[in-house]
Amino acid sequence: MNSEKLSGIWQNKRITLKIQRIMKTYFKYEGIIKSKEAAEAIAAPSGLGPFCGFGSATINGNKLVVSPQGVSGSKFANVIKDRITARYMSKDSEDGELPDINFGCISRDGYIFISDEQTLTIENIQGTQGSTDEVLLFAVHTTISEPVDNPVDFVAYWNESSESFYELYKKSLDIYYPISEENRNPNVLNNDIYSDYSMTLSNLLEMVETACPYYSNNKYSVVLIGIYGKGTDAMTKRNENFAIVPYQGKFQEIPYTTATHSMMKESITKVEKMNTGFPVEDENGNLLNIKQYIDGQLEALRKEFSDSLNTASLPIGSIILWETDVIPEGWVEYTKASGRIVIGYQAGGIQIGDEMMLQNIGDFYTPTKGNFVIKLKGDDLPRHRHALGVSKGKQDDANKWENVRPQSFFNRETGLNGDFGRGTPTKGIQDGAIVVSWNLIGESFLQETSVDTLTIEKLPPTITLRYIQKIS
């Protein structure tokens, strides 16, 4: 081999070494050369932190088990699943890797972590648990200059503060949480999400600093991967798991898709159609909103009906029923009918008790014993006794009577008086009768007892309307 060829080979070797030196290959892992510059090239446009997986987790004692998929039923579940599906890569069989990339993140110093494992387990959650059952997961990587295996690692810490991330998670789904739907007053100007600092990654990381001293002391060397826990919905009272995973430096992102855009267009179009013709000016040139316009139209209808009453061929003194508070011009309320039931006139009047009442048109009657109930007491009834007639009784074929037996009051033996026989209930018979009670209200024959009051409603099913009378 001549010197010219040797010189060319050596030159190529030097070029290769130079390229490797420029690329700064720090370690070889799983048969793939990893480059910090390559990782930085990816991280710069996409952002540090998780880019797929890490969607949910369970806390078992002091152990955190992370799943790539999202919380079942969550609005983010499909987005997280799509992130995993989009990273289905072909691999050589000799690599020993599955084509799925279930977990993927970029560490603070620009190194990529990918894994096809079904779960990621952190055996020991560190720190002191606060008032909530919430755990924060971080990616940790320390750069080593030697070409050795040096993958990204993960650590988990308890939320040590009294502030829960659950309410922030709920507000990311519903900005009005926890106000119940019937008490909400939507205002898109005052509730512009893009102006709400609480819905930013910056606010989330400030909360993480307060909740975790480890992150506060290492925020320039570790990156937040996810926050996991559970909470109770203030409106539904249901207990649920939650996860906040800031993919590539964005807080709780759901992509704005063409389908979403079409739905929003349809809703806005309907609102625009409803507002067609607005704003409208009143007779003074003032702009009216839709409520003012509707109120004006209703008032115009009332006035039109009022005018029609005035022009109707009803004689002065006519009385009609009226439902609204606004009485038309030329009419007044017929106050005699207020709170009273109107009945048809009967010549000569109507007898109430011992008196003849309502003898003239326009007469009215007001009960004197209470307004809308009648109370009946024992004293309201005529005082009288009830008695049971008796006669002499014989038992089987005995020649002499030994007791009394019930008999009709008219067929009683009036000669029986005093105590007779062994079975007389009251031990007292007067003129062939046993005295039972006064007025059937349970009074004893020998002493008085208290009486209950019977209350009777005298107001039938009713609707209140105004009677109005035409006066001009």
Side-chain angles (χ1 to χ4, degrees):
M1 185 179 294
N2 57 37
S3 60
E4 187 176 355
K5 287 185 177 180
L6 285 172
S7 176
I9 292 172
W10 177 246
Q11 190 174 5
N12 288 337
K13 286 284 187 181
R14 282 191 297 173
I15 292 172
T16 302
L17 291 173
K18 186 176 181 181
I19 291 173
Q20 289 182 345
R21 193 177 302 116
I22 292 173
M23 293 292 288
K24 296 181 181 177
T25 302
Y26 286 91
F27 61 89
K28 183 176 181 181
Y29 181 56
E30 294 183 349
I32 303 174
I33 300 297
K34 303 296 177 79
S35 165
K36 182 179 180 181
E37 267 66 24
E40 287 174 346
I42 297 170
S46 65
L48 301 179
F51 56 78
C52 78
F54 303 100
S56 61
T58 57
I59 303 169
N60 299 321
N62 208 42
K63 181 169 67 174
L64 182 71
V65 180
V66 185
S67 170
Q69 303 295 337
V71 177
S72 177
S74 166
K75 292 182 180 179
F76 303 100
N78 288 335
V79 177
I80 296 171
K81 185 176 181 180
D82 285 349
R83 284 179 170 272
I84 296 170
T85 303
R87 289 168 173 83
Y88 186 92
M89 298 181 181
S90 298
K91 300 290 182 73
D92 293 333
S93 58
E94 63 184 28
D95 289 340
E97 292 182 285
L98 297 174
D100 292 318
I101 296 180
N102 289 329
F103 298 95
C105 72
I106 300 175
S107 66
R108 178 67 65 186
D109 58 350
Y111 281 80
I112 300 174
F113 170 85
I114 59 172
S115 172
D116 55 12
E117 296 294 331
Q118 295 298 313
T119 58
L120 182 69
T121 301
I122 290 82
E123 294 291 345
N124 183 29
I125 301 173
Q126 302 180 52
T128 303
Q129 184 175 357
S131 59
T132 64
D133 190 17
E134 297 173 357
V135 176
L136 295 85
L137 179 66
F138 302 97
V140 183
H141 185 260
T142 303
T143 302
I144 299 176
S145 58
E146 291 80 9
V148 296
D149 288 355
N150 182 26
V152 176
D153 198 7
F154 298 92
V155 293
Y157 280 82
W158 290 108
N159 175 4
E160 298 189 15
S161 71
S162 59
E163 186 174 10
S164 172
F165 287 90
Y166 177 72
E167 184 165 344
L168 180 64
Y169 164 79
K170 296 296 288 186
K171 281 186 174 292
S172 72
L173 303 178
D174 178 3
I175 194 62
Y176 294 102
Y177 177 87
I179 302 173
S180 60
E181 292 184 2
E182 61 271 16
N183 294 328
R184 294 181 179 184
N185 185 22
N187 189 324
V188 70
L189 296 179
N190 293 334
N191 291 287
D192 186 349
I193 304 304
Y194 288 95
S195 301
D196 190 344
Y197 182 72
S198 65
M199 296 292 108
T200 64
L201 178 67
S202 299
N203 174 67
L204 178 66
L205 295 181
E206 288 176 7
M207 291 180 63
V208 171
E209 279 196 68
T210 303
C212 183
Y214 167 79
Y215 178 77
S216 181
N217 297 328
N218 297 276
K219 61 183 178 181
Y220 298 115
S221 59
V222 303
V223 64
L224 176 67
I225 296 298
I227 301 170
Y228 309 97
K230 58 185 176 182
T232 302
D233 190 301
M235 295 186 291
T236 65
K237 308 304 179 185
R238 288 199 300 262
N239 196 26
E240 61 181 347
N241 294 322
F242 77 95
I244 298 176
V245 184
Y247 285 116
Q248 297 171 305
K250 297 176 183 177
F251 174 67
Q252 298 290 89
E253 180 188 30
I254 293 183
Y256 187 82
T257 64
T258 53
T260 305
H261 184 66
S262 68
M263 182 178 65
M264 295 296 294
K265 277 179 59 180
E266 184 69 22
S267 298
I268 293 172
T269 300
K270 288 186 177 181
V271 174
E272 289 175 341
K273 287 180 179 179
M274 183 180 69
N275 285 327
T276 299
F278 290 94
V280 174
E281 294 182 356
D282 61 12
E283 62 274 8
N284 299 320
N286 299 317
L287 294 177
L288 302 177
N289 60 34
I290 188 169
K291 181 181 183 302
Q292 292 169 331
Y293 174 77
I294 292 173
D295 289 344
Q297 293 299 304
L298 290 175
E299 183 59 33
L301 288 173
R302 292 193 190 101
K303 187 176 185 305
E304 180 182 353
F305 188 70
S306 175
D307 293 342
S308 68
L309 281 178
N310 291 331
T311 57
S313 58
L314 292 174
I316 292 176
S318 298
I319 298 174
I320 64 172
L321 288 170
W322 190 254
E323 190 177 23
T324 68
D325 291 331
V326 180
I327 298 175
E329 186 177 350
W331 295 72
V332 295
E333 184 172 2
Y334 186 69
T335 56
K336 282 186 177 182
S338 298
R340 293 184 171 89
I341 297 173
V342 178
I343 65 173
Y345 170 70
Q346 177 176 290
I350 298 174
Q351 184 168 351
I352 301 177
D354 296 330
E355 297 184 49
M356 291 299 294
M357 309 288 291
L358 308 175
Q359 299 182 48
N360 305 301
I361 294 177
D363 287 354
F364 54 86
Y365 163 73
T366 300
T368 57
K369 291 187 177 180
N371 290 327
F372 299 108
V373 296
I374 300 173
K375 295 182 178 180
L376 295 178
K377 298 187 298 183
D379 293 341
D380 294 327
L381 300 174
R383 198 163 180 77
H384 59 282
R385 288 190 183 279
H386 295 265
L388 176 67
V390 296
S391 63
K392 296 177 181 179
K394 292 184 178 181
Q395 190 170 14
D396 298 331
D397 296 327
N399 293 323
K400 295 182 179 180
W401 67 276
E402 295 183 354
N403 55 11
V404 295
R405 63 181 180 184
Q407 183 59 268
S408 69
F409 189 77
F410 295 104
N411 294 326
R412 72 189 187 281
E413 295 188 25
T414 57
L416 295 177
N417 286 286
D419 292 340
F420 284 90
R422 295 191 299 270
T424 305
T426 64
K427 297 187 181 300
I429 298 174
Q430 297 179 6
D431 295 329
I434 299 173
V435 177
V436 177
S437 70
W438 285 106
N439 291 10
L440 290 178
I441 56 175
E443 281 187 340
S444 168
F445 176 65
L446 299 177
Q447 66 183 54
E448 289 189 3
T449 60
S450 61
V451 295
D452 293 327
T453 299
L454 174 66
T455 300
I456 302 174
E457 295 284 350
K458 70 177 183 182
L459 186 66
T462 306
I463 182 173
T464 57
L465 298 172
R466 290 182 185 275
Y467 282 96
I468 61 174
Q469 185 177 38
K470 188 172 183 179
I471 59 172
S472 66

